[in-house]
Amino acid sequence: MNFKLKTPAEAVRLISSGDSVYIQGSTSIPEVLVQAMTDRAAELRGVKIYSGFAVGRADAPYCRPELRDSFLVNSLFVANNIRRHLAAGDGQSIPAFLGEIPGLFRDGTLPVDVALVNLSRPDAEGYCSYGVSADLAVSAVDCARIVIAQINRAMPFSYGDAVIHLSEVDAAVEVDEPLVEVPTATPTETETRIGRYIAELIPDGATLQIGVGGIPNAVLAALKDHKHLGLHTEAMTDGVLPLLESGVIDNSLKTVMPGVSVASLALGSRRLYDYMDYRKDLVMKDVAWTNDPFRIRQNPRVMAINSAVEVDLTGQVCADSVGQRIISGVGGQHDFMYGGSLSEGGKTFIAIPSTTPRGESKIKALLTPGAGVVTTRHMVQHIVTEYGVAHLRGKNLAERARALIAVAHPAVREELERAAAERFGHSFLRIK
């Protein structure tokens, strides 16, 4: 490996003005390389940055307003380290399902000149791993002319698509940089109630797709007495570890890669990263593979559990914006909601507290102006709050409104009833 070892400053000399640069995400942003690239700002112009889902320690240095002529920020998922800057206009987001972005790289719609990645140390045969972030990294590296890598002692070695030989790396920098750790969210009483409602609807032998946060952790905690669950998900978190370690998740009834847990990225604690290291019954795959709805549907009883910012009375789901302000991205919600709905015995859930931390209802007569629809009303099956489950599948719009009002916060139900009566008339009023 020594012939490719460089200092960070030397490695990023391979980036030229006008290049398109992909930066690996999840909890593995190659921070040393990113800072070295940013330090060259005075020499660079028009470098287009592609970033996906990521959790950064601090704001991305290349987003600073004074560097906007050097770096053109294009987010494929608005992450915490760039959110404030994009809201201020110092960058833009590209709407896309996470699962379709590898195709945009591969067909040249989004050309990639340089990939900055954070890799594990090589094994005896010279193979490194993308570790916690196969998602977009696999396709970006496949398409890049130049691959610049941090070889990181802290990165676990994961299998699947997340493997690259050192011969494919053009410049390498050795680092010992701890991965960002995402604290395990302890479910609140409200989230625990939501989790129990969902768990009651999940059968033994189901295949789980589950997101990040208090509600997903509450669902997982409520599944401890289930049997023969499988895992085929976009994001893997600490919440699944008790179920893996106890054997509740054994992947024995999956059709796609039976016996193996499948994810595209991971974010959590050091305990999760250590669990992943050189574990052959857990693989990380290209997000175009994990999120393909027609692959997802091949598994039996897929349970797709996702969240939202707000939901309207017809079941439209906004999950990526607060009004006009983009706060995240579509991610894989639509892919798994679609794949789950097609799966034999599959079910899909949107799980939300009835109100925001400010006390505003998350179930609204109409979405906030500017809000983006991530999952259409045609796709939604169950909306779950701490007040119960609204079963929407096969219901007309007036019936949906009645079901959603029943799980809204009591303080807003009268207001929502008036809005529904005005919108749907007798069709709504006759439903008891």
Side-chain angles (χ1 to χ4, degrees):
M1 179 167 77
N2 288 337
F3 73 96
K4 292 184 178 178
L5 279 179
K6 299 180 182 293
T7 67
E10 291 169 340
V12 300
R13 297 293 302 175
L14 296 174
I15 300 171
S16 301
S17 292
D19 279 349
S20 295
V21 177
Y22 165 77
I23 298 173
Q24 189 179 2
S26 187
T27 53
S28 60
I29 298 171
E31 306 274 9
V32 171
L33 295 175
V34 167
Q35 186 59 59
M37 177 188 70
T38 305
D39 290 343
R40 289 192 60 213
E43 308 166 22
L44 297 171
R45 287 294 179 272
V47 173
K48 186 176 287 187
I49 303 293
Y50 295 129
S51 64
F53 174 80
V55 182
R57 288 188 179 87
D59 282 3
Y62 53 80
C63 279
R64 297 200 304 271
E66 64 269 25
L67 304 183
R68 61 180 59 154
D69 291 334
S70 300
F71 303 111
L72 311 175
V73 180
N74 283 271
S75 171
L76 300 162
F77 190 104
V78 180
N80 71 323
N81 64 331
I82 62 173
R83 187 174 295 129
R84 179 171 65 86
H85 297 284
L86 265 62
D90 297 320
Q92 285 294 314
S93 60
I94 299 175
F97 298 135
L98 201 59
E100 76 173 317
I101 294 168
L104 299 178
F105 289 158
R106 290 181 169 121
D107 69 14
T109 300
L110 299 179
V112 180
D113 297 300
V114 181
L116 302 183
V117 292
N118 200 352
L119 305 177
S120 73
R121 289 180 58 79
D123 65 10
E125 297 178 338
Y127 287 95
C128 299
S129 173
Y130 298 102
V132 299
S133 174
D135 47 10
L136 302 181
V138 173
S139 57
V141 168
D142 284 348
C143 299
R145 293 185 296 104
I146 298 167
V147 178
I148 307 174
Q150 293 184 180
I151 306 299
N152 191 352
R153 291 178 179 273
M155 182 67 74
F157 193 106
S158 57
Y159 291 98
D161 294 336
V163 176
I164 179 174
H165 197 269
L166 273 174
S167 61
E168 299 178 60
V169 175
D170 295 287
V173 175
E174 284 193 302
V175 303
D176 188 359
E177 285 279 309
L179 304 184
V180 173
E181 295 191 45
V182 178
T184 299
T186 301
T188 63
E189 182 180 345
T190 293
E191 291 167 336
T192 297
R193 291 179 67 182
I194 295 170
R196 287 175 181 159
Y197 283 129
I198 294 173
E200 288 172 0
L201 295 172
I202 295 177
D204 289 341
T207 302
L208 303 177
Q209 175 265 324
I210 198 154
V212 179
I215 293 175
N217 287 340
V219 174
L220 292 166
L223 293 173
K224 60 182 174 59
D225 295 323
H226 278 58
K227 296 179 176 64
H228 304 304
L229 299 180
L231 186 67
H232 180 120
T233 192
E234 181 179 282
M236 183 176 176
T237 68
D238 281 61
V240 301
L241 290 180
L243 299 183
L244 286 167
E245 292 167 341
S246 67
V248 170
I249 294 178
D250 63 9
N251 297 295
S252 61
L253 300 181
K254 283 170 54 184
T255 301
V256 179
M257 300 193 75
V260 176
S261 295
V262 176
S264 179
L265 59 93
L267 63 160
S269 70
R270 190 67 234 177
R271 179 168 173 253
L272 173 64
Y273 307 148
D274 289 342
Y275 179 89
M276 295 173 62
D277 197 30
Y278 285 99
R279 192 172 195 98
K280 291 191 175 180
D281 60 355
L282 190 163
V283 301
M284 305 296 283
K285 300 287 285 183
D286 184 326
V287 74
W289 192 96
T290 58
N291 290 28
D292 179 348
F294 298 99
R295 178 169 289 109
I296 293 165
R297 73 171 298 182
Q298 293 173 29
N299 282 315
R301 299 175 291 278
V302 170
M303 301 289 123
I305 305 160
N306 291 277
S307 61
V309 175
E310 61 186 38
V311 178
D312 79 0
L313 286 179
T314 70
Q316 293 190 113
V317 176
C318 170
D320 69 341
S321 67
V322 175
Q324 298 180 49
R325 183 166 62 91
I326 306 294
I327 60 169
S328 58
V330 173
Q333 180 175 128
H334 184 276
D335 296 329
F336 279 94
M337 295 286 280
Y338 185 36
S341 70
L342 297 174
S343 163
E344 184 177 352
K347 298 174 185 175
T348 66
F349 304 88
I350 295 293
I352 52 173
S354 64
T355 61
T356 69
R358 294 182 177 181
E360 299 167 350
S361 179
K362 279 180 163 276
I363 296 176
K364 299 190 173 185
L366 299 171
L367 295 180
T368 302
V373 175
V374 165
T375 299
T376 71
R377 54 187 165 228
H378 312 91
M379 189 69 64
V380 175
Q381 293 186 355
H382 306 88
I383 305 290
V384 187
T385 76
E386 70 271 28
Y387 294 102
V389 182
H391 300 270
L392 304 187
R393 186 168 183 260
K395 286 185 165 59
N396 66 38
L397 296 182
E399 291 168 335
R400 284 166 170 249
R402 181 64 75 184
L404 285 163
I405 291 168
V407 300
H409 193 280
V412 299
R413 290 179 190 172
E414 185 176 340
E415 173 189 339
L416 292 175
E417 290 226 5
R418 286 196 299 270
E422 182 177 345
R423 183 171 182 179
F424 303 115
H426 178 69
S427 296
F428 174 80
L429 292 172
R430 66 181 178 83
I431 302 168
K432 300 300 180 185

